[in-house]
Amino acid sequence: MFNLSKLRSKLSTKCPAGHLADNSSTTRYLTSFTLVELLIVIAILAVLAAAVVVVLNPAELLAQARDSQRSTDLRTLKDAIDLWTLDNPSLTMGTSQTVYISIPDTSST
């Protein structure tokens, strides 16, 4: 039913983590990670995540996108005003023949 010698031979082999298992019948085959190994992996992932956030600063990317959209909107508005002035040259400032003169008020009050 249960062969203890086969179990002991399996336990005496080298585990994947590189540790030798005991030959006692109470020891299990060690395949789990140690706490130190897990903490090292978590620390490495935290450092990599911080580096990615620094390189790809989301606030900076959003600000650049907003500035680009504003620049495009201003260019479109300028083009619209230029087209309107071409269609209506007499209504724009500087092309009219009307001269505005300011006369000071000399009346006594």
Side-chain angles (χ1 to χ4, degrees):
M1 170 164 88
F2 187 76
N3 193 346
L4 188 57
S5 64
K6 285 185 181 180
L7 178 64
R8 285 187 180 153
S9 67
K10 285 183 182 179
L11 289 175
S12 66
T13 59
K14 198 169 189 180
C15 296
H19 305 292
L20 286 175
D22 278 344
N23 284 335
S24 66
S25 61
T26 59
T27 306
R28 291 185 174 187
Y29 191 73
L30 301 175
T31 59
S32 61
F33 295 106
T34 64
L35 180 61
V36 173
E37 291 169 335
L38 289 175
L39 289 176
I40 289 172
V41 169
I42 290 171
I44 290 171
L45 290 176
V47 167
L48 290 174
V52 167
V53 167
V54 167
V55 169
L56 301 175
N57 189 358
E60 177 95 13
L61 292 175
L62 287 175
Q64 287 176 354
R66 223 178 11 250
D67 292 346
S68 175
Q69 182 63 40
R70 288 175 182 161
S71 175
T72 303
D73 290 344
L74 285 174
R75 193 174 308 115
T76 304
L77 185 60
K78 178 199 166 292
D79 291 342
I81 291 171
D82 288 343
L83 288 174
W84 184 82
T85 56
L86 287 175
D87 290 341
N88 305 302
S90 63
L91 298 177
T92 58
M93 294 292 286
T95 60
S96 174
Q97 298 299 322
T98 308
V99 177
Y100 297 96
I101 299 174
S102 174
I103 301 173
D105 185 18
T106 57
S107 65
S108 63
T109 53

XYZ file of all heavy atoms in Angstrom:
824
model
N 0.831 -1.175 0.000
C 0.000 0.000 0.000
C 0.890 1.258 0.000
O 0.841 2.037 -0.921
C -0.917 -0.065 1.215
C -1.654 1.202 1.459
S -3.017 0.977 2.573
C -2.281 1.197 4.118
N 1.686 1.448 1.000
C 2.541 2.625 1.095
C 3.972 2.160 1.274
O 4.280 1.430 2.197
C 2.089 3.483 2.271
C 2.812 4.787 2.343
C 2.510 5.818 1.477
C 3.827 4.989 3.267
C 3.171 7.011 1.532
C 4.484 6.178 3.330
C 4.167 7.191 2.455
N 4.850 2.584 0.394
C 6.229 2.134 0.416
C 7.091 3.245 1.015
O 7.333 4.277 0.389
C 6.673 1.791 -0.999
C 7.976 1.022 -1.004
O 8.664 0.974 0.004
N 8.309 0.447 -2.141
N 7.571 3.036 2.234
C 8.352 4.037 2.953
C 9.737 4.214 2.336
O 10.282 5.312 2.328
C 8.462 3.636 4.425
C 9.074 4.659 5.366
C 8.292 5.955 5.300
C 9.092 4.133 6.775
N 10.302 3.200 1.776
C 11.646 3.323 1.199
C 11.637 4.208 -0.054
O 12.575 4.961 -0.297
C 12.208 1.941 0.885
O 11.409 1.326 -0.107
N 10.576 4.134 -0.862
C 10.480 5.014 -2.030
C 10.333 6.468 -1.606
O 10.906 7.367 -2.217
C 9.297 4.608 -2.902
C 9.525 3.369 -3.705
C 8.361 3.110 -4.626
C 8.582 1.846 -5.431
N 7.469 1.555 -6.331
N 9.560 6.693 -0.534
C 9.391 8.056 -0.017
C 10.717 8.612 0.461
O 11.065 9.756 0.190
C 8.353 8.068 1.105
C 8.120 9.415 1.772
C 7.541 10.398 0.761
C 7.199 9.271 2.951
N 11.489 7.787 1.179
C 12.782 8.247 1.677
C 13.754 8.533 0.525
O 14.539 9.469 0.586
C 13.366 7.219 2.630
C 12.696 7.234 3.967
C 13.394 6.351 4.943
N 12.692 6.419 6.217
C 12.689 5.462 7.113
N 13.365 4.359 6.891
N 12.028 5.608 8.231
N 13.692 7.757 -0.516
C 14.582 8.004 -1.639
C 14.209 9.293 -2.365
O 15.066 10.030 -2.842
C 14.573 6.823 -2.604
O 13.305 6.716 -3.219
N 12.920 9.573 -2.420
C 12.491 10.835 -3.028
C 12.887 12.019 -2.165
O 13.262 13.075 -2.668
C 10.979 10.838 -3.243
C 10.523 9.989 -4.387
C 9.036 10.102 -4.575
C 8.575 9.195 -5.697
N 7.128 9.273 -5.896
N 12.793 11.862 -0.859
C 13.143 12.955 0.045
C 14.639 13.219 0.066
O 15.075 14.319 0.377
C 12.642 12.662 1.453
C 11.133 12.734 1.647
C 10.774 12.296 3.049
C 10.621 14.123 1.384
N 15.431 12.261 -0.256
C 16.874 12.459 -0.224
C 17.383 13.151 -1.484
O 18.516 13.576 -1.534
C 17.587 11.119 -0.027
O 17.369 10.316 -1.169
N 16.545 13.260 -2.506
C 16.974 13.927 -3.730
C 16.968 15.434 -3.528
O 16.380 15.959 -2.590
C 16.042 13.570 -4.900
O 14.729 13.983 -4.559
C 16.068 12.093 -5.185
N 17.586 16.114 -4.446
C 17.704 17.562 -4.339
C 16.399 18.231 -4.764
O 15.816 17.878 -5.782
C 18.841 18.038 -5.218
C 19.340 19.390 -4.885
C 20.618 19.685 -5.605
C 21.197 20.958 -5.067
N 22.428 21.300 -5.724
N 15.943 19.192 -4.011
C 14.709 19.911 -4.306
C 14.975 20.954 -5.384
O 16.109 21.370 -5.584
C 14.191 20.603 -3.048
S 13.744 19.455 -1.760
N 13.912 21.447 -6.079
C 14.101 22.474 -7.111
C 14.689 23.765 -6.580
O 15.369 24.476 -7.290
C 12.693 22.692 -7.651
C 11.938 21.485 -7.284
C 12.562 20.946 -6.042
N 14.446 24.071 -5.312
C 14.962 25.319 -4.760
C 16.445 25.222 -4.440
O 17.063 26.198 -4.058
C 14.187 25.695 -3.506
N 17.018 24.028 -4.556
C 18.432 23.877 -4.307
C 18.741 23.391 -2.909
O 19.894 23.247 -2.545
N 17.749 23.099 -2.091
C 17.950 22.641 -0.732
C 17.833 21.124 -0.701
O 17.038 20.541 -1.418
C 16.900 23.245 0.198
C 16.849 24.738 0.134
N 17.866 25.537 0.598
C 15.908 25.580 -0.352
C 17.543 26.801 0.397
N 16.365 26.857 -0.184
N 18.616 20.515 0.147
C 18.504 19.070 0.321
C 17.430 18.772 1.356
O 17.390 19.388 2.412
C 19.834 18.467 0.766
C 20.911 18.366 -0.303
C 22.210 17.854 0.316
C 20.479 17.459 -1.421
N 16.568 17.854 1.050
C 15.520 17.478 1.987
C 16.065 16.451 2.963
O 16.966 15.684 2.650
C 14.328 16.917 1.233
N 15.514 16.458 4.159
C 15.898 15.467 5.163
C 15.407 14.092 4.755
O 14.487 13.949 3.969
C 15.299 15.817 6.523
C 16.133 16.845 7.248
O 17.290 17.037 6.840
O 15.623 17.437 8.205
N 16.028 13.065 5.345
C 15.602 11.700 5.090
C 14.543 11.238 6.074
O 14.098 10.107 6.002
C 16.795 10.742 5.139
C 17.629 10.855 3.885
O 17.114 11.255 2.845
N 18.897 10.513 3.984
N 14.156 12.099 7.009
C 13.154 11.672 7.986
C 11.799 11.561 7.312
O 11.504 12.216 6.334
C 13.085 12.660 9.151
O 12.601 13.886 8.672
N 10.967 10.720 7.842
C 9.668 10.461 7.232
C 8.684 11.600 7.475
O 7.634 11.647 6.852
C 9.091 9.146 7.768
O 8.926 9.257 9.173
N 9.006 12.538 8.369
C 8.086 13.636 8.663
C 8.338 14.854 7.780
O 7.531 15.768 7.765
C 8.218 14.061 10.132
O 9.565 14.458 10.369
C 7.835 12.927 11.051
N 9.456 14.883 7.056
C 9.788 16.036 6.233
C 9.088 15.934 4.885
O 9.049 14.898 4.272
C 11.305 16.112 6.011
O 11.940 16.097 7.276
C 11.676 17.374 5.280
N 8.548 17.040 4.443
C 7.895 17.077 3.137
C 8.885 17.510 2.070
O 9.933 18.069 2.348
C 6.727 18.061 3.144
C 5.592 17.608 3.978
C 4.477 18.584 3.808
N 3.307 18.087 4.501
C 2.135 18.654 4.434
N 1.986 19.734 3.717
N 1.128 18.156 5.079
N 8.525 17.289 0.846
C 9.318 17.729 -0.291
C 9.195 19.240 -0.368
O 8.108 19.777 -0.550
C 8.782 17.043 -1.546
C 9.650 17.201 -2.751
C 10.843 16.531 -2.868
C 9.260 18.029 -3.779
C 11.626 16.677 -3.988
C 10.028 18.180 -4.901
C 11.221 17.501 -4.995
O 11.987 17.654 -6.111
N 10.279 19.970 -0.237
C 10.251 21.425 -0.141
C 10.176 22.058 -1.525
O 11.116 21.969 -2.295
C 11.484 21.941 0.595
C 11.683 21.419 2.011
C 12.997 21.910 2.554
C 10.543 21.848 2.894
N 9.053 22.704 -1.823
C 8.915 23.398 -3.101
C 8.490 24.846 -2.912
O 8.351 25.574 -3.868
C 7.868 22.709 -3.984
O 6.631 22.701 -3.293
C 8.296 21.305 -4.334
N 8.253 25.287 -1.710
C 7.779 26.654 -1.484
C 8.962 27.608 -1.366
O 10.094 27.212 -1.136
C 6.924 26.712 -0.225
O 7.694 26.311 0.883
N 8.656 28.904 -1.501
C 9.674 29.940 -1.378
C 9.809 30.344 0.075
O 8.842 30.320 0.840
C 9.289 31.171 -2.200
C 9.256 30.914 -3.667
C 8.051 30.807 -4.339
C 10.432 30.783 -4.380
C 8.020 30.572 -5.686
C 10.417 30.549 -5.740
C 9.201 30.444 -6.398
N 10.990 30.791 0.450
C 11.180 31.285 1.808
C 10.703 32.729 1.882
O 10.507 33.401 0.863
C 12.661 31.212 2.210
O 13.401 32.083 1.363
C 13.187 29.790 2.102
N 10.528 33.211 3.080
C 10.066 34.585 3.285
C 11.075 35.582 2.734
O 10.705 36.587 2.128
C 9.824 34.828 4.779
C 9.331 36.217 5.158
C 7.985 36.496 4.498
C 9.237 36.356 6.653
N 12.343 35.304 2.888
C 13.386 36.206 2.388
C 13.330 36.295 0.870
O 13.436 37.387 0.291
C 14.779 35.728 2.865
C 15.886 36.543 2.227
C 14.870 35.781 4.371
N 13.148 35.161 0.206
C 13.054 35.176 -1.254
C 11.853 35.979 -1.720
O 11.940 36.764 -2.672
C 12.959 33.747 -1.788
C 14.238 32.956 -1.618
C 14.066 31.477 -1.913
O 12.941 30.954 -1.791
O 15.080 30.856 -2.267
N 10.722 35.819 -1.051
C 9.526 36.586 -1.413
C 9.724 38.075 -1.188
O 9.320 38.904 -2.014
C 8.319 36.091 -0.625
C 7.793 34.712 -1.018
C 6.678 34.285 -0.084
C 7.307 34.724 -2.448
N 10.369 38.442 -0.082
C 10.611 39.854 0.194
C 11.570 40.466 -0.827
O 11.409 41.623 -1.230
C 11.151 40.029 1.609
C 10.143 39.777 2.726
C 10.827 39.882 4.079
C 8.972 40.726 2.636
N 12.556 39.699 -1.264
C 13.486 40.203 -2.270
C 12.762 40.439 -3.596
O 12.950 41.464 -4.253
C 14.669 39.224 -2.448
C 15.564 39.280 -1.216
C 15.461 39.538 -3.706
C 16.657 38.234 -1.184
N 11.898 39.510 -3.979
C 11.139 39.672 -5.224
C 10.223 40.882 -5.135
O 10.115 41.683 -6.076
C 10.349 38.386 -5.541
C 9.365 38.618 -6.671
C 11.301 37.264 -5.889
N 9.552 41.058 -3.997
C 8.663 42.216 -3.819
C 9.465 43.516 -3.873
O 9.034 44.498 -4.479
C 7.881 42.082 -2.504
C 6.859 40.946 -2.630
C 7.180 43.382 -2.128
C 6.180 40.575 -1.340
N 10.636 43.531 -3.278
C 11.474 44.743 -3.305
C 11.921 45.059 -4.727
O 11.915 46.225 -5.148
C 12.679 44.557 -2.389
N 12.303 44.050 -5.483
C 12.722 44.270 -6.869
C 11.562 44.808 -7.693
O 11.717 45.746 -8.487
C 13.285 42.970 -7.473
C 14.628 42.631 -6.823
C 13.436 43.077 -8.984
C 15.167 41.277 -7.183
N 10.375 44.233 -7.507
C 9.201 44.726 -8.236
C 8.858 46.160 -7.845
O 8.453 46.961 -8.700
C 8.004 43.806 -7.984
C 8.099 42.419 -8.625
C 6.909 41.568 -8.216
C 8.186 42.535 -10.128
N 9.020 46.510 -6.581
C 8.748 47.883 -6.145
C 9.726 48.862 -6.788
O 9.328 49.955 -7.218
C 8.823 47.969 -4.624
N 10.991 48.482 -6.875
C 11.992 49.356 -7.503
C 11.681 49.532 -8.986
O 11.744 50.642 -9.529
C 13.410 48.789 -7.288
C 14.419 49.481 -8.173
C 13.804 48.909 -5.830
N 11.316 48.449 -9.656
C 10.971 48.547 -11.074
C 9.723 49.393 -11.296
O 9.662 50.192 -12.233
C 10.774 47.150 -11.662
C 12.038 46.306 -11.817
C 11.686 44.897 -12.272
C 13.000 46.956 -12.774
N 8.722 49.236 -10.434
C 7.504 50.041 -10.564
C 7.803 51.517 -10.351
O 7.278 52.375 -11.053
C 6.453 49.553 -9.572
N 8.648 51.831 -9.379
C 9.014 53.228 -9.139
C 9.764 53.809 -10.332
O 9.541 54.962 -10.707
C 9.862 53.334 -7.877
N 10.629 53.007 -10.939
C 11.372 53.484 -12.107
C 10.432 53.751 -13.275
O 10.586 54.743 -13.990
C 12.437 52.467 -12.499
N 9.450 52.904 -13.464
C 8.490 53.099 -14.555
C 7.666 54.351 -14.323
O 7.410 55.130 -15.247
C 7.592 51.850 -14.709
C 6.396 52.133 -15.586
C 8.396 50.705 -15.280
N 7.255 54.589 -13.076
C 6.459 55.788 -12.775
C 7.289 57.048 -12.997
O 6.781 58.049 -13.497
C 5.910 55.714 -11.330
C 5.360 57.046 -10.885
C 4.832 54.645 -11.236
N 8.572 56.998 -12.654
C 9.426 58.169 -12.856
C 9.635 58.431 -14.347
O 9.577 59.568 -14.814
C 10.782 57.981 -12.129
C 11.791 59.010 -12.573
C 10.571 58.048 -10.630
N 9.863 57.375 -15.113
C 10.116 57.539 -16.544
C 8.845 57.955 -17.270
O 8.849 58.858 -18.107
C 10.695 56.231 -17.141
C 10.717 56.295 -18.649
C 12.091 55.998 -16.602
N 7.748 57.302 -16.969
C 6.476 57.596 -17.628
C 5.567 58.351 -16.667
O 4.557 57.833 -16.222
C 5.795 56.288 -18.070
C 6.582 55.413 -19.019
C 5.847 54.120 -19.257
C 6.822 56.121 -20.330
N 5.946 59.574 -16.346
C 5.193 60.393 -15.399
C 3.804 60.684 -15.970
O 3.680 61.423 -16.946
C 5.951 61.687 -15.135
C 5.348 62.486 -14.016
O 4.342 62.101 -13.442
N 5.976 63.603 -13.690
N 2.750 60.104 -15.378
C 1.417 60.275 -15.959
C 0.936 61.728 -15.933
O 0.266 62.177 -16.865
C 0.519 59.399 -15.091
C 1.375 58.718 -14.106
C 2.752 59.228 -14.239
N 1.273 62.471 -14.906
C 0.838 63.871 -14.834
C 1.489 64.687 -15.949
O 0.846 65.541 -16.567
C 1.188 64.455 -13.470
N 2.753 64.415 -16.209
C 3.460 65.125 -17.283
C 2.864 64.781 -18.649
O 2.707 65.649 -19.508
C 4.940 64.746 -17.247
C 5.765 65.355 -18.341
C 6.449 66.625 -17.902
O 6.491 66.898 -16.705
O 6.914 67.355 -18.786
N 2.541 63.506 -18.850
C 1.953 63.098 -20.128
C 0.593 63.745 -20.341
O 0.259 64.178 -21.449
C 1.827 61.576 -20.181
C 3.153 60.810 -20.233
C 2.897 59.307 -20.170
C 3.929 61.158 -21.469
N -0.204 63.838 -19.265
C -1.508 64.494 -19.383
C -1.354 65.980 -19.669
O -2.105 66.552 -20.461
C -2.315 64.282 -18.101
C -2.880 62.879 -17.897
C -3.544 62.763 -16.533
C -3.868 62.531 -18.986
N -0.384 66.619 -19.036
C -0.146 68.047 -19.276
C 0.294 68.286 -20.722
O -0.148 69.245 -21.363
C 0.906 68.578 -18.302
N 1.146 67.421 -21.245
C 1.578 67.564 -22.635
C 0.408 67.376 -23.594
O 0.288 68.107 -24.593
C 2.670 66.553 -22.947
C 4.005 66.871 -22.319
C 5.041 65.791 -22.584
O 4.731 64.748 -23.146
N 6.267 66.037 -22.161
N -0.458 66.421 -23.301
C -1.625 66.199 -24.160
C -2.567 67.398 -24.119
O -3.102 67.824 -25.144
C -2.355 64.932 -23.724
N -2.758 67.965 -22.922
C -3.617 69.145 -22.777
C -3.031 70.328 -23.533
O -3.747 71.050 -24.234
C -3.749 69.470 -21.290
C -5.123 69.817 -20.851
C -5.266 70.102 -19.377
N -4.059 70.248 -18.603
C -3.645 69.366 -17.697
N -4.335 68.283 -17.473
N -2.543 69.566 -17.017
N -1.725 70.553 -23.409
C -1.079 71.666 -24.109
C -1.166 71.491 -25.622
O -1.367 72.455 -26.362
C 0.383 71.791 -23.678
C 0.533 72.242 -22.239
O -0.471 72.713 -21.655
O 1.642 72.106 -21.689
N -0.999 70.283 -26.079
C -1.098 70.014 -27.509
C -2.504 70.306 -28.017
O -2.671 70.890 -29.099
C -0.724 68.561 -27.781
O -0.913 68.254 -29.125
N -3.509 69.919 -27.251
C -4.900 70.188 -27.655
C -5.177 71.690 -27.668
O -5.830 72.201 -28.574
C -5.870 69.472 -26.700
C -7.321 69.650 -27.074
C -7.658 69.044 -28.425
O -7.184 67.977 -28.765
N -8.446 69.748 -29.213
N -4.671 72.408 -26.690
C -4.867 73.863 -26.649
C -4.203 74.533 -27.846
O -4.754 75.456 -28.446
C -4.301 74.435 -25.353
C -5.133 74.080 -24.146
C -4.466 74.557 -22.889
N -5.248 74.169 -21.728
C -4.766 74.127 -20.501
N -3.511 74.468 -20.269
N -5.540 73.764 -19.495
N -2.996 74.096 -28.180
C -2.288 74.658 -29.327
C -3.063 74.408 -30.622
O -3.183 75.305 -31.468
C -0.891 74.041 -29.409
O -0.235 74.455 -30.549
N -3.613 73.220 -30.758
C -4.409 72.899 -31.939
C -5.664 73.761 -31.996
O -6.049 74.255 -33.065
C -4.785 71.403 -31.921
O -3.587 70.644 -31.860
C -5.577 71.017 -33.152
N -6.313 73.966 -30.858
C -7.514 74.794 -30.811
C -7.205 76.243 -31.189
O -7.971 76.880 -31.931
C -8.155 74.750 -29.426
C -8.775 73.396 -29.112
O -8.978 72.596 -30.050
O -9.051 73.137 -27.917
N -6.083 76.788 -30.706
C -5.706 78.159 -31.045
C -5.388 78.296 -32.533
O -5.754 79.292 -33.165
C -4.503 78.599 -30.216
C -4.803 78.935 -28.759
C -3.514 79.203 -28.004
C -5.723 80.132 -28.670
N -4.724 77.295 -33.107
C -4.415 77.323 -34.529
C -5.704 77.292 -35.359
O -5.844 78.024 -36.348
C -3.526 76.138 -34.884
C -2.906 76.241 -36.261
C -1.907 75.120 -36.551
N -0.902 74.977 -35.504
C -0.784 73.886 -34.721
N -1.591 72.877 -34.857
N 0.156 73.834 -33.799
N -6.677 76.487 -34.933
C -7.956 76.411 -35.638
C -8.704 77.736 -35.541
O -9.288 78.209 -36.523
C -8.811 75.276 -35.047
O -8.082 74.052 -35.117
C -10.123 75.123 -35.773
N -8.672 78.368 -34.366
C -9.331 79.657 -34.185
C -8.675 80.735 -35.049
O -9.365 81.542 -35.685
C -9.285 80.060 -32.712
C -10.023 81.316 -32.307
C -11.506 81.193 -32.614
C -9.809 81.596 -30.838
N -7.346 80.736 -35.120
C -6.633 81.702 -35.964
C -7.011 81.514 -37.433
O -7.252 82.495 -38.150
C -5.130 81.550 -35.783
C -4.306 82.481 -36.648
C -2.890 81.957 -36.761
C -2.117 82.634 -37.843
N -2.555 82.352 -39.190
N -7.074 80.260 -37.870
C -7.448 79.995 -39.261
C -8.875 80.463 -39.545
O -9.159 81.005 -40.619
C -7.316 78.501 -39.573
C -5.866 78.038 -39.588
O -4.969 78.901 -39.692
O -5.647 76.813 -39.495
N -9.780 80.267 -38.583
C -11.167 80.708 -38.766
C -11.249 82.225 -38.864
O -11.986 82.771 -39.703
C -12.031 80.195 -37.627
N -10.487 82.932 -38.017
C -10.492 84.399 -38.063
C -9.888 84.886 -39.374
O -10.398 85.842 -39.983
C -9.741 84.973 -36.848
C -10.545 84.710 -35.571
C -9.470 86.460 -37.006
C -9.816 85.046 -34.299
N -8.823 84.255 -39.848
C -8.217 84.631 -41.127
C -9.199 84.445 -42.286
O -9.302 85.302 -43.175
C -6.953 83.816 -41.386
C -5.798 84.232 -40.499
O -5.861 85.339 -39.912
O -4.832 83.448 -40.380
N -9.937 83.341 -42.278
C -10.930 83.118 -43.327
C -12.048 84.154 -43.264
O -12.533 84.642 -44.288
C -11.507 81.702 -43.222
C -10.583 80.567 -43.641
C -11.218 79.229 -43.339
C -10.255 80.687 -45.122
N -12.461 84.520 -42.068
C -13.527 85.517 -41.916
C -13.060 86.884 -42.410
O -13.808 87.598 -43.066
C -13.953 85.593 -40.449
C -15.104 86.516 -40.235
C -16.423 86.268 -40.421
C -15.014 87.880 -39.811
N -17.174 87.370 -40.132
C -16.327 88.387 -39.756
C -13.964 88.729 -39.469
C -16.614 89.687 -39.375
C -14.253 90.022 -39.085
C -15.571 90.481 -39.044
N -11.793 87.239 -42.111
C -11.295 88.544 -42.573
C -11.146 88.582 -44.087
O -11.274 89.645 -44.690
C -9.946 88.888 -41.920
O -9.023 87.844 -42.172
C -10.089 89.110 -40.441
N -10.876 87.443 -44.707
C -10.824 87.417 -46.171
C -12.210 87.625 -46.776
O -12.356 88.263 -47.821
C -10.240 86.092 -46.663
C -8.741 85.903 -46.475
C -8.328 84.498 -46.885
C -7.973 86.936 -47.268
N -13.231 87.075 -46.120
C -14.597 87.223 -46.624
C -15.178 88.607 -46.342
O -16.030 89.094 -47.084
C -15.513 86.172 -46.009
C -15.207 84.775 -46.523
O -14.557 84.669 -47.577
O -15.623 83.795 -45.865
N -14.747 89.250 -45.275
C -15.299 90.548 -44.854
C -14.180 91.557 -44.626
O -13.919 91.962 -43.495
C -16.107 90.379 -43.559
C -17.176 89.331 -43.693
O -18.038 89.426 -44.544
N -17.114 88.322 -42.850
N -13.536 92.038 -45.655
C -12.392 92.929 -45.446
C -12.785 94.306 -44.923
O -11.984 94.960 -44.268
C -11.756 93.029 -46.830
C -12.830 92.664 -47.780
C -13.744 91.740 -47.059
N -13.998 94.758 -45.170
C -14.361 96.111 -44.734
C -14.783 96.140 -43.273
O -14.912 97.222 -42.700
C -15.503 96.638 -45.605
O -16.655 95.833 -45.439
N -15.010 95.005 -42.645
C -15.472 94.987 -41.261
C -14.355 94.794 -40.245
O -14.589 94.847 -39.049
C -16.507 93.871 -41.076
C -17.773 94.005 -41.913
C -18.661 92.801 -41.691
C -18.519 95.275 -41.553
N -13.169 94.597 -40.707
C -12.071 94.346 -39.776
C -11.339 95.635 -39.469
O -11.372 96.586 -40.230
C -11.087 93.327 -40.362
O -10.595 93.833 -41.592
C -11.743 91.978 -40.565
N -10.688 95.647 -38.332
C -9.926 96.829 -37.925
C -8.707 96.985 -38.836
O -8.046 96.024 -39.168
C -9.450 96.693 -36.477
C -10.575 96.687 -35.469
S -11.405 98.262 -35.356
C -10.199 99.203 -34.493
N -8.426 98.211 -39.229
C -7.241 98.497 -40.015
C -7.479 98.531 -41.504
O -6.673 99.076 -42.222
N -8.564 97.977 -41.984
C -8.813 98.014 -43.423
C -9.922 98.994 -43.773
O -10.194 99.221 -44.929
C -9.194 96.614 -43.941
O -10.370 96.184 -43.258
C -8.070 95.621 -43.711
N -10.546 99.559 -42.768
C -11.634 100.498 -43.021
C -11.073 101.880 -43.359
O -9.952 102.227 -42.985
C -12.513 100.590 -41.767
O -13.486 101.585 -41.929
N -11.866 102.688 -44.086
C -11.455 104.041 -44.446
C -11.875 105.042 -43.369
O -11.615 106.219 -43.508
C -12.081 104.424 -45.783
C -11.646 103.535 -46.938
C -10.142 103.607 -47.166
O -9.543 104.673 -47.040
N -9.547 102.472 -47.487
N -12.512 104.570 -42.298
C -12.969 105.458 -41.237
C -11.820 105.776 -40.294
O -11.082 104.891 -39.885
C -14.107 104.797 -40.434
O -15.105 104.354 -41.341
C -14.698 105.736 -39.424
N -11.690 107.062 -39.946
C -10.659 107.494 -39.020
C -11.351 107.957 -37.750
O -12.283 108.772 -37.789
C -9.819 108.646 -39.615
C -8.800 109.143 -38.610
C -9.160 108.206 -40.903
N -10.922 107.448 -36.616
C -11.510 107.822 -35.329
C -10.611 108.850 -34.668
O -9.426 108.647 -34.489
C -11.654 106.596 -34.435
C -12.606 105.566 -35.006
C -12.135 104.475 -35.739
C -13.971 105.702 -34.837
C -12.995 103.545 -36.273
C -14.846 104.771 -35.370
C -14.344 103.695 -36.083
O -15.210 102.788 -36.607
N -11.211 110.001 -34.283
C -10.460 111.085 -33.657
C -11.072 111.325 -32.293
O -12.291 111.393 -32.148
C -10.529 112.380 -34.491
C -9.915 112.132 -35.861
C -9.819 113.514 -33.778
C -10.076 113.300 -36.804
N -10.230 111.503 -31.286
C -10.709 111.775 -29.951
C -10.580 113.272 -29.690
O -9.498 113.843 -29.825
C -9.877 110.985 -28.936
O -10.251 111.357 -27.642
N -11.689 113.922 -29.334
C -11.696 115.355 -29.038
C -11.878 115.489 -27.532
O -12.839 114.978 -26.967
C -12.829 116.067 -29.785
C -12.639 115.846 -31.279
C -12.874 117.532 -29.414
C -13.790 116.374 -32.118
N -10.984 116.195 -26.889
C -11.104 116.349 -25.435
C -12.307 117.217 -25.074
O -12.688 118.117 -25.819
C -9.798 117.012 -24.999
C -9.212 117.553 -26.243
C -9.775 116.823 -27.401
N -12.908 116.915 -23.952
C -14.072 117.672 -23.464
C -13.562 118.922 -22.754
O -12.882 118.873 -21.734
C -14.874 116.798 -22.500
C -16.139 117.483 -22.073
O -16.568 118.431 -22.748
O -16.703 117.032 -21.069
N -13.892 120.108 -23.301
C -13.411 121.378 -22.723
C -14.541 122.140 -22.052
O -14.340 123.250 -21.587
C -12.805 122.248 -23.837
O -13.770 122.462 -24.855
C -11.548 121.602 -24.372
N -15.711 121.577 -21.988
C -16.810 122.301 -21.353
C -16.642 122.312 -19.841
O -16.134 121.391 -19.239
C -18.155 121.643 -21.716
O -18.211 120.359 -21.181
N -17.056 123.415 -19.256
C -16.947 123.526 -17.804
C -18.206 122.962 -17.169
O -19.323 123.172 -17.615
C -16.766 124.993 -17.390
O -17.892 125.726 -17.771
N -18.032 122.251 -16.140
C -19.184 121.666 -15.450
C -19.345 122.156 -14.072
O -18.571 122.694 -13.409
C -19.077 120.117 -15.406
O -17.841 119.783 -14.865
C -19.297 119.532 -16.757
